[in-house]
Amino acid sequence: MYDRRPPRSRMTFETDDRARVTLVSHPFGLRITGEIDRGNRHLLAGALTWALLAGSHDIRLDLSGLTFIDVAGMRLIVTAAARLSSDREVILDPISPAVRRVLSLTGWDQAPGLRVCS
C-alpha cells in the first residue's frame, strides 16, 4: 500500500541502474531521469499510482532528465492523465527532446488530462 501523504521534501521514490524517480513536494509531482523501458517500467507505474492516490493536486512530471522512454512507458503517463478527475491534470514540464518526439509521433501531446509545457 502506498502512503497517501505528500512528501515533505524531495526524496527518491525508486531507482535502478538506468532510471530514478524522485518525489517533489512543491509543485507536487515526480522528477524522472534516465531511461524508461520494458525492464524498469514498473518504477514509473508505481510512482504514478502513488501520485494518483496521494493528493488532489495536479501532478507535475519533470521529464527534462529523461533520455529515453518507450511508447509503453509514455502510455502509462497518458493513462494516468485520463484517470484523473476533470479538475486535475498531469503537467509535463519541463520535458526532454526524447519525450517531445514520442509525444509528437503518437499524437499524445493532445491527450485528455495531459498538459505539455516548455
Side-chain angles (χ1 to χ4, degrees):
M1 189 64 140
Y2 294 103
D3 185 351
R4 294 177 60 121
R5 293 172 295 167
R8 282 183 253 143
S9 62
R10 296 178 188 179
M11 58 186 256
T12 300
F13 185 71
E14 289 194 57
T15 187
D16 77 354
D17 61 332
R18 292 175 294 127
R20 176 174 295 221
V21 179
T22 304
L23 303 177
V24 180
S25 60
H26 186 73
F28 177 76
L30 304 167
R31 177 177 298 113
I32 303 159
T33 60
E35 300 178 356
I36 299 292
D37 60 21
R38 180 179 178 180
N40 62 5
R41 203 175 301 127
H42 64 281
L43 298 176
L44 178 59
L48 288 170
T49 298
W50 177 87
L52 287 169
L53 297 172
S56 58
H57 310 287
D58 290 339
I59 302 167
R60 183 173 298 269
L61 300 182
D62 176 345
L63 306 178
S64 60
L66 200 57
T67 57
F68 176 82
I69 186 166
D70 63 9
V71 172
M74 187 59 67
R75 185 180 300 120
L76 288 172
I77 294 171
V78 171
T79 301
R83 291 177 52 198
L84 292 172
S85 59
S86 61
D87 61 332
R88 294 176 71 195
E89 294 180 303
V90 171
I91 302 166
L92 306 183
D93 183 36
I95 64 173
S96 68
V99 172
R100 187 170 302 282
R101 179 151 170 80
V102 173
L103 284 169
S104 176
L105 289 172
T106 59
W108 286 336
D109 52 344
Q110 302 296 316
L114 190 69
R115 183 170 14 136
V116 180
C117 301
S118 62

